[in-house]
Amino acid sequence: MDILIKDLNEAQQKAVSQTEGPVMAIAGAGSGKTNVLTKRIAFLINNVGVPKDQILAITFTNKAANEMKVRIAKLLNAPTQSMWISTFHSMCARILREHIEYLGYDKRFQIIDDDDTVQMIKSIQKEKGIDTKTIDPRKLKTHVMNLKSEDVNISHYKEPLSGYLNIVFPEYVKRLKENNLVDFEDLIMLTIKLFKQETHLLNHYQKLFQYILVDEFQDTNNAQYE
């Protein structure tokens, strides 16, 4: 029996070694999902001969991604830095670093965090005369992110919130672009926009990734799924 699967139970062995067609592993916490996922990647490389850069493995936290890299490095006895093992946001950032110029940005774009986003929204509120005590910038930020992810549009909201968003949202988007900045929501949405706009890039990545593995798949939202 292959050394990669000899310590797995029958269901886990099947999840690792069934390499053709879709596979879904349904299991509770602490049942060895990460072990199966990492051994499946090692199996694809060692036993099937899939090049390391043609496997995309997605998880939800940087900690989980780093743990997967460490485990796979031990299984393969080889470095994993260049492999596509990351969160959705890190994957999209890597793609955008290569191709964002198609969307009118410079490749040296900076990624702003949630606090930076709140501060920019707060600054816009002050400039536009929207009292930050009447409407909390952090709450407004949540609605701005929902609009960016296209989960809703401004008509979804009632006054006075819709009025605030009509003022703040377009200005926020404009300032990001003018300053070559992207927020976390942009990482996902701009990558989707890139692939829809530049179909040759979409085709490139579709051909590049022979296998796509998603940890905690049930937690993906619509944008991540797309």
Side-chain angles (χ1 to χ4, degrees):
M1 180 178 291
D2 191 285
I3 191 171
L4 282 172
I5 63 174
K6 70 176 185 177
D7 61 341
L8 303 177
N9 63 39
E10 184 177 351
Q12 290 172 330
Q13 289 176 11
K14 187 175 181 181
V16 168
S17 60
Q18 183 177 322
T19 59
E20 299 308 313
V23 174
M24 179 177 287
I26 302 174
S31 57
K33 293 191 300 297
T34 301
N35 188 35
V36 167
L37 196 64
T38 52
K39 288 191 173 180
R40 179 175 170 83
I41 292 170
F43 187 90
L44 289 169
I45 294 168
N46 278 347
N47 297 53
V48 184
V50 181
K52 289 193 294 184
D53 65 347
Q54 293 184 12
I55 298 172
L56 172 62
I58 294 293
T59 187
F60 278 81
T61 67
N62 289 321
K63 181 180 179 181
N66 290 333
E67 181 183 347
M68 287 171 61
K69 286 182 180 180
V70 170
R71 290 195 189 193
I72 294 168
K74 288 181 179 178
L75 291 169
L76 298 175
N77 193 28
T80 57
Q81 288 90 337
S82 64
M83 292 182 67
W84 289 80
I85 304 171
S86 68
T87 62
F88 278 103
H89 292 90
S90 295
M91 175 200 71
C92 290
R94 183 172 174 179
I95 291 170
L96 291 174
R97 287 291 178 201
E98 290 295 320
H99 310 294
I100 200 169
E101 289 175 332
Y102 284 101
L103 300 178
Y105 292 78
D106 189 281
K107 287 184 178 180
R108 295 167 294 181
F109 66 87
Q110 292 185 327
I111 303 170
I112 64 172
D113 61 20
D114 287 342
D115 288 337
D116 294 327
T117 296
V118 171
Q119 288 304 313
M120 184 178 291
I121 289 174
K122 187 175 182 179
S123 174
I124 294 170
Q125 285 183 247
K126 289 181 177 180
E127 290 180 21
K128 302 296 183 180
I130 301 172
D131 187 5
T132 56
K133 293 181 179 178
T134 301
I135 178 71
D136 185 344
R138 291 191 176 276
K139 290 184 178 179
L140 200 55
K141 176 247 179 190
T142 299
H143 299 305
V144 167
M145 293 302 106
N146 287 338
L147 290 170
K148 294 195 80 174
S149 67
E150 300 179 355
D151 285 342
V152 296
N153 55 49
I154 292 178
S155 64
H156 170 85
Y157 297 98
K158 296 179 180 179
E159 288 286 357
L161 184 55
S162 62
Y164 298 144
L165 287 169
N166 269 314
I167 295 170
V168 172
F169 179 66
E171 182 64 22
Y172 172 73
V173 172
K174 175 171 167 281
R175 290 191 187 188
L176 286 180
K177 185 77 176 287
E178 287 177 347
N179 292 283
N180 205 40
L181 301 172
V182 301
D183 58 30
F184 288 141
E185 202 66 48
D186 281 328
L187 292 174
I188 303 286
M189 301 311 298
L190 288 178
T191 302
I192 292 173
K193 182 179 180 181
L194 177 73
F195 285 157
K196 287 181 175 180
Q197 177 180 307
E198 307 295 333
T199 54
H200 68 286
L201 294 178
L202 174 61
N203 291 336
H204 166 74
Y205 285 101
Q206 286 176 331
K207 292 176 181 177
L208 174 64
F209 297 128
Q210 294 186 35
Y211 291 87
I212 300 175
L213 300 90
V214 184
D215 188 22
E216 305 290 358
F217 179 81
Q218 74 280 358
D219 291 334
T220 55
N221 60 31
N222 289 337
Q224 291 166 344
Y225 182 78
E226 186 172 7

